[in-house]
Amino acid sequence: MLLAFLGSLILWARDATGEPAVTWLALGTGTGGLQIELGLKLDPLSRLMLLVVTGVGSAIHIYSWGYLHADRNRGRYFAGLSLFTFAMLGIVLANNFLMLFIFWELVGVSSYLLIGFWFARPAAAEAAKKAFLTNRLGDFGFLLGIILVWAALGTLSFTELEARLADDPAALGAAASVAGLLIFCGAMGKSAQFPLHVWLPDAMEGPTPVSALIHAATMVAAGVYMLCRVFFVLAVPGSVALELIAWIGGVTALLAALLAVQQNDIKRILAYSTLSQLGYMVLAVGVSGASRDPSVAMYHLTTHAGFKALLFLGAGSVIHALHHEQDIWKMGGLSRRLPITFWTFLLATLALCGVPPLSGFYSKDAIIARTLESGHHGLFALATLVAALTTFYMFRLVFVAFTGPAKSQAADHARESPPVMTLPLLALAVPSVLAGFWGIHRVYGAQYGAEPAAAGSWAQQLVEPFAHAPLAAGAGLAAALMGWLGAWAWYRAALQDPLPARFATVARWLRDRLYFDELYERLIGWTQESLARLADGVDRWVIMGVAVKGTHGTFELLGRLLRLAQTGNLQTYAFVLVAGVALLLFLVMAR
Amino acid sequence: METLCFYLFAALAVVCGFLVVANPFSRNPVASAMFLVLTIAALAGLFVLLHAFFLAAVQILVYAGAVMVLFLFVIMLLDLKEEERRSWRKFGLVGGGVAVALIALLMYAALRQSPLGAAGEPRVEGSTAALGELLFRQYLLPFELVGVLLLVGMVGVIWLSKRAVP
Amino acid sequence: MSVGLTHYLVVSLLLFCLGLFGVLVRRNLLVMFMSLELMLNAANLALVAFARYHHNLSGQIMVFFIITVAAAEVAVGLALIVALYRQRRTAHVEDLASLRL
């Protein structure tokens, strides 16, 4: 894994002059049929994504060594983890839709294996199933979208598709919106966007490093990455896909942020936070239609991968130290006992909240500024609100878990995790701090043909957001401050959550996740019931009634008719015989 | 003389035939059988007019003698009372009548149509000697086969009658 | 008017139709059987007449065979009727509808 990371670094260093694409294998026959060229596509987009996947992946592999050192099934765990990483790299490097889809499915399978790693626990098995099925739902749409694109344009290769759409933007015609939305369905499943978001919080049943891998660097990022990869399909003029994508992203961000406020499980808070940030990224893709440049989404994805992995690994470290206690109200005072975990966790939290000069500030600010630039004022307000909420729930977590008195026996006796776990934390803290002014977004910008801005000094980049879009930056900062103040006022020294007492109904609704699971259960139950009834009706009336009974009835009727002729009376037969003779005679004579 | 004889025998045959089938006075099968004997006798007369003397003799011997005796025996054996007067089935009557009329019409039409050839001078003498010549030369094999057929019929009749006796 | 082939054929036709009518309408098995004999005799008459007027004795030979076969047929048929009567105590064709399902 480390080797892969180093390889990615080397690739990175070789810059864009290297081979842009490698074709491995050409499938398909003749000229008319389905022609697939399996190959690798190496452009700035995939190169940086490689760096993210391998970098975070390496950290998580090392960390897992410590986290699972006592587990007997370690072999299976690492096999799953490696398969997952492999599949993810496949997605990143795929040069056509089909290959992308294959690895996409592979990611789904390996995530199923990893979430259900502790399959003896019913909740884990259920969560794995749920994640898989929800993903299938999205993938179905994705596949339909791919087929639609292929039917309209006759090729699945990204390069060819892009060239063809650049030649003739109307090539997809009326199908553009539909195809875009269907493809987005796939991203919706993998990146857990609003209607299909339910699997992500449940996926927390897996081991914590898996949560880090899935939620930070890879699986959920795959959706956003894919959206950016096929952005040229989505951004076809006249397509309403992007608009819808933007709003779905916004709604997801807000919803998840609200839900996160009332969760008590440390991993669930982080999961909803991930959902919220993914909503941000999707929102960013959606509002990039005018500028034809979704690089801000990838920018946020990259920074988010860093600090969210850090958060999850920190949470894992806490859980490990407290012997698998995940309720934040049973923690407290951990800042003294787990100093490294605390400081890295705090750093990541600040990054997530968008405090300059940490990485999150820059990427988040870029998104907020983009919404403002593209004229989506509603979405701008939404994004700002979500930013405030993010700070609020993250600091609620920090205050309750790390400061104040210890709220349980286990928290009192917690000890810092071994170095094999803390080292990755430290390693990941570096990009969380620095990623903001590495100018990552300019790398992505190159992918979409934006002219490279003059690379200024670090100091210039440090203050660039303020110079570029002061309103957005100010709003983001104000939101973060407001959130922090709220959390500070309510949770600084709280022993219990004060919110349920004040807003009982709202808090209960939020804690129960707005009853999405129940709604889906009803909906799916009802649909299945109806379908079953329909099938039953078809079986009973069409197959049994028309096909079986109809056949039987027809022949019975024919039989009854023929039976009328069989009187058993000799003279009737004689009569028929004579009639036949007469007929023959007549025919002979008539000739 | 010959013409007179023809009309006499023909009328006898047709009237008796009618009485066999539909006797307005009696439904007794015995009456039918008796009229059938008369019909056969009239036919034998017609055979004589056609110079088929041997066949006329055979007709009387085999039909009027053997076959009709067999019929009467069976009627006696079954002890058939006069057939109870069931009402004629209207459909059967009408249907049968129509069918027969149709056949008659068609056959008559055929008769009118067909070239009957040299209908003028009847010359062939159906003498017994000539018939014997033909039968034992040209038609020897069918003659023998008919003998076998009679044997088979005899065996079948014996078996059928015996089974019922136990 | 001299008697020709046509006269004989008309007589034959009449007898044949009478026999046919009997077979179709009468319901006593024995009478039906007799009607059948009548039809055979009508055919015989036609054959003999043809033989006479077409100078071919083969027609008479045919009649000879028909008479023989008819004799055998009558024997077997009557035996069947007797056997049937012993089982069913009837010679009425409408009572013998066991062919019906």
Side-chain angles (χ1 to χ4, degrees), chain A residues 397-440:
Chain A
L397 170 60
V398 170
F399 281 137
V400 171
F402 288 96
T403 66
K407 298 177 186 69
S408 72
Q409 198 73 21
D412 220 12
H413 298 292
R415 286 219 316 272
E416 183 62 280
S417 306
V420 72
M421 286 166 72
T422 51
L423 277 179
L425 291 181
L426 291 170
L428 281 170
V430 175
S432 299
V433 177
L434 299 178
F437 32 88
W438 273 350
I440 288 169

Coordinates of all heavy atoms in Angstrom, one line a residue, chain A residues 397-440:
Chain A
L397 N -19.7 17.7 19.9 CA -19.0 16.4 20.1 C -17.7 16.6 20.8 O -17.4 15.9 21.8 CB -18.7 15.8 18.7 CG -17.7 14.6 18.6 CD1 -18.3 13.5 19.4 CD2 -17.5 14.2 17.2
V398 N -16.9 17.6 20.5 CA -15.6 17.9 21.1 C -15.8 18.2 22.6 O -15.2 17.6 23.5 CB -14.9 19.0 20.4 CG1 -13.6 19.4 21.2 CG2 -14.5 18.5 19.0
F399 N -16.7 19.1 22.8 CA -16.9 19.5 24.2 C -17.4 18.4 25.1 O -16.9 18.1 26.2 CB -18.0 20.6 24.3 CG -17.5 22.0 23.9 CD1 -18.2 22.8 23.1 CD2 -16.2 22.4 24.4 CE1 -17.7 24.1 22.7 CE2 -15.7 23.6 24.0 CZ -16.5 24.5 23.2
V400 N -18.3 17.6 24.6 CA -18.9 16.6 25.4 C -17.9 15.4 25.6 O -17.7 14.9 26.7 CB -20.2 16.0 24.8 CG1 -20.7 14.8 25.5 CG2 -21.3 17.1 24.8
A401 N -17.2 15.1 24.6 CA -16.3 13.9 24.6 C -15.0 14.2 25.3 O -14.4 13.4 26.0 CB -16.2 13.3 23.3
F402 N -14.4 15.4 25.0 CA -13.0 15.6 25.4 C -12.8 16.5 26.6 O -11.8 16.4 27.2 CB -12.3 16.1 24.2 CG -12.0 15.1 23.1 CD1 -12.9 15.0 22.0 CD2 -11.0 14.2 23.2 CE1 -12.7 14.0 21.1 CE2 -10.7 13.2 22.3 CZ -11.6 13.2 21.2
T403 N -13.8 17.4 26.8 CA -13.6 18.3 28.0 C -14.6 17.9 29.1 O -15.3 16.9 29.0 CB -13.8 19.7 27.5 OG1 -15.2 19.9 27.2 CG2 -13.0 20.1 26.4
G404 N -14.5 18.7 30.1 CA -15.4 18.4 31.3 C -14.9 17.2 32.1 O -13.9 16.6 31.8
P405 N -15.7 16.8 33.0 CA -15.4 15.7 33.9 C -15.7 14.4 33.1 O -16.5 14.3 32.2 CB -16.3 15.8 35.1 CG -17.5 16.6 34.6 CD -17.0 17.5 33.5
A406 N -15.0 13.3 33.5 CA -15.2 12.0 33.0 C -16.6 11.6 33.4 O -17.0 11.7 34.5 CB -14.1 11.0 33.4
K407 N -17.4 11.0 32.4 CA -18.7 10.7 32.7 C -18.9 9.2 32.9 O -20.0 8.7 33.0 CB -19.7 11.2 31.6 CG -19.6 12.7 31.5 CD -20.5 13.2 30.3 CE -20.3 14.7 30.1 NZ -19.0 15.0 29.6
S408 N -17.8 8.4 32.8 CA -18.0 7.0 33.1 C -16.7 6.5 33.6 O -15.6 7.1 33.5 CB -18.4 6.3 31.8 OG -17.3 6.2 30.9
Q409 N -16.7 5.2 34.1 CA -15.6 4.6 34.7 C -14.5 4.4 33.6 O -13.3 4.7 33.8 CB -16.0 3.2 35.2 CG -15.0 2.6 36.1 CD -15.0 3.3 37.5 OE1 -16.0 3.9 37.8 NE2 -13.9 3.2 38.2
A410 N -15.0 3.9 32.4 CA -14.0 3.7 31.3 C -13.3 4.9 30.9 O -12.1 4.9 30.6 CB -14.8 3.1 30.1
A411 N -14.0 6.0 30.8 CA -13.4 7.3 30.4 C -12.3 7.7 31.4 O -11.3 8.4 31.1 CB -14.5 8.4 30.3
D412 N -12.5 7.3 32.7 CA -11.6 7.7 33.7 C -10.2 7.0 33.6 O -9.2 7.5 33.9 CB -12.2 7.4 35.1 CG -11.9 8.5 36.1 OD1 -11.4 9.6 35.6 OD2 -12.1 8.3 37.2
H413 N -10.3 5.7 33.0 CA -9.1 4.9 33.0 C -8.6 4.8 31.6 O -7.8 3.9 31.3 CB -9.4 3.5 33.5 CG -9.8 3.6 35.0 ND1 -9.0 4.0 36.0 CD2 -11.0 3.4 35.6 CE1 -9.6 4.0 37.1 NE2 -10.9 3.6 36.9
A414 N -9.0 5.7 30.7 CA -8.6 5.5 29.3 C -7.1 5.8 29.1 O -6.5 6.6 29.9 CB -9.4 6.5 28.4
R415 N -6.4 5.0 28.2 CA -5.0 5.3 28.0 C -4.8 5.5 26.5 O -5.5 5.0 25.7 CB -4.2 4.0 28.4 CG -4.1 3.9 29.9 CD -2.7 3.4 30.3 NE -2.2 2.3 29.4 CZ -2.5 1.0 29.7 NH1 -3.2 0.7 30.7 NH2 -2.0 0.1 28.8
E416 N -3.8 6.3 26.2 CA -3.5 6.6 24.8 C -3.2 5.3 24.0 O -2.7 4.4 24.5 CB -2.3 7.6 24.7 CG -2.0 8.0 23.3 CD -3.1 8.8 22.7 OE1 -4.1 8.2 22.2 OE2 -3.0 10.1 22.7
S417 N -3.7 5.4 22.7 CA -3.5 4.2 21.8 C -2.0 4.0 21.5 O -1.2 5.0 21.6 CB -4.3 4.4 20.6 OG -5.6 4.7 20.9
P418 N -1.7 2.8 21.0 CA -0.3 2.6 20.7 C 0.2 3.4 19.5 O -0.7 3.9 18.7 CB -0.3 1.1 20.3 CG -1.7 0.8 20.0 CD -2.5 1.7 20.9
P419 N 1.5 3.5 19.3 CA 2.0 4.4 18.2 C 1.5 4.0 16.8 O 1.3 4.9 16.0 CB 3.5 4.2 18.3 CG 3.7 3.7 19.6 CD 2.5 3.0 20.1
V420 N 1.3 2.7 16.6 CA 0.9 2.3 15.3 C -0.4 2.9 14.9 O -0.8 3.1 13.7 CB 0.8 0.8 15.2 CG1 -0.4 0.2 16.0 CG2 0.8 0.3 13.7
M421 N -1.2 3.3 15.9 CA -2.4 4.0 15.6 C -2.3 5.6 15.7 O -3.0 6.3 14.9 CB -3.5 3.6 16.6 CG -4.0 2.2 16.3 SD -5.0 1.5 17.6 CE -6.5 2.5 17.5
T422 N -1.5 6.0 16.5 CA -1.3 7.5 16.6 C -0.5 8.1 15.4 O -0.7 9.2 15.0 CB -0.7 7.9 17.9 OG1 0.5 7.2 18.1 CG2 -1.7 7.7 19.1
L423 N 0.4 7.3 14.9 CA 1.3 7.8 13.8 C 0.4 8.2 12.6 O 0.6 9.3 12.1 CB 2.3 6.8 13.5 CG 3.6 6.9 14.4 CD1 4.6 5.8 14.0 CD2 4.2 8.3 14.3
P424 N -0.5 7.3 12.2 CA -1.3 7.7 11.0 C -2.1 9.0 11.3 O -2.3 9.8 10.5 CB -2.2 6.5 10.8 CG -1.5 5.4 11.4 CD -0.7 5.9 12.5
L425 N -2.5 9.1 12.6 CA -3.2 10.3 13.0 C -2.4 11.5 12.7 O -2.8 12.5 12.1 CB -3.6 10.3 14.5 CG -4.7 9.3 14.9 CD1 -4.9 9.4 16.4 CD2 -5.9 9.5 14.1
L426 N -1.1 11.5 13.2 CA -0.3 12.6 12.9 C 0.0 12.8 11.5 O 0.0 14.0 11.0 CB 1.1 12.3 13.7 CG 0.9 12.4 15.2 CD1 2.2 11.9 15.9 CD2 0.6 13.8 15.7
A427 N 0.2 11.7 10.8 CA 0.4 11.8 9.3 C -0.7 12.5 8.6 O -0.5 13.4 7.8 CB 0.7 10.4 8.7
L428 N -1.9 12.1 9.0 CA -3.1 12.7 8.3 C -3.3 14.2 8.7 O -4.0 14.9 8.0 CB -4.3 11.9 8.6 CG -4.5 10.6 7.8 CD1 -5.6 9.7 8.3 CD2 -4.7 11.0 6.3
A429 N -2.8 14.5 9.9 CA -3.0 15.9 10.4 C -2.3 16.9 9.4 O -2.7 18.0 9.2 CB -2.5 16.0 11.8
V430 N -1.2 16.4 8.8 CA -0.4 17.3 8.0 C -1.2 17.8 6.8 O -1.4 19.1 6.7 CB 0.9 16.6 7.5 CG1 1.6 17.5 6.5 CG2 1.7 16.2 8.7
P431 N -1.8 17.0 6.0 CA -2.6 17.5 4.9 C -3.8 18.3 5.4 O -4.3 19.3 4.7 CB -3.1 16.3 4.1 CG -2.9 15.1 5.0 CD -1.8 15.5 5.9
S432 N -4.4 17.9 6.5 CA -5.5 18.7 7.0 C -5.2 20.2 7.2 O -6.0 21.1 7.0 CB -6.0 18.1 8.3 OG -6.4 16.8 8.2
V433 N -3.9 20.3 7.6 CA -3.5 21.7 7.9 C -3.1 22.4 6.6 O -3.5 23.5 6.3 CB -2.3 21.7 8.9 CG1 -1.8 23.2 9.1 CG2 -2.8 21.1 10.2
L434 N -2.3 21.6 5.8 CA -1.7 22.3 4.7 C -2.4 22.3 3.4 O -2.1 23.1 2.5 CB -0.3 21.6 4.5 CG 0.6 21.7 5.7 CD1 2.0 21.0 5.4 CD2 0.9 23.2 6.0
A435 N -3.3 21.3 3.2 CA -3.9 21.1 1.9 C -4.5 22.4 1.3 O -4.7 22.5 0.1 CB -5.0 20.0 2.0
G436 N -4.9 23.3 2.2 CA -5.6 24.5 1.7 C -4.8 25.3 0.8 O -5.3 25.9 -0.2
F437 N -3.5 25.4 1.0 CA -2.7 26.4 0.2 C -1.7 25.6 -0.7 O -0.7 26.2 -1.0 CB -2.1 27.5 1.0 CG -1.7 27.1 2.4 CD1 -0.5 26.6 2.6 CD2 -2.6 27.3 3.4 CE1 -0.1 26.2 3.9 CE2 -2.3 26.9 4.7 CZ -1.0 26.4 5.0
W438 N -2.0 24.4 -1.0 CA -1.2 23.7 -2.0 C -1.7 24.0 -3.4 O -1.1 23.6 -4.3 CB -1.2 22.2 -1.8 CG -0.2 21.7 -0.8 CD1 0.8 22.4 -0.3 CD2 -0.2 20.4 -0.2 NE1 1.5 21.7 0.6 CE2 1.0 20.4 0.7 CE3 -0.9 19.2 -0.4 CZ2 1.3 19.3 1.4 CZ3 -0.5 18.1 0.4 CH2 0.6 18.1 1.2
G439 N -2.8 24.7 -3.4 CA -3.3 25.0 -4.8 C -3.8 23.8 -5.5 O -3.7 23.6 -6.7
I440 N -4.5 22.9 -4.7 CA -5.0 21.7 -5.3 C -6.0 22.0 -6.4 O -6.1 21.4 -7.4 CB -5.6 20.8 -4.2 CG1 -4.4 20.2 -3.4 CG2 -6.4 19.7 -4.8 CD1 -4.8 19.5 -2.2

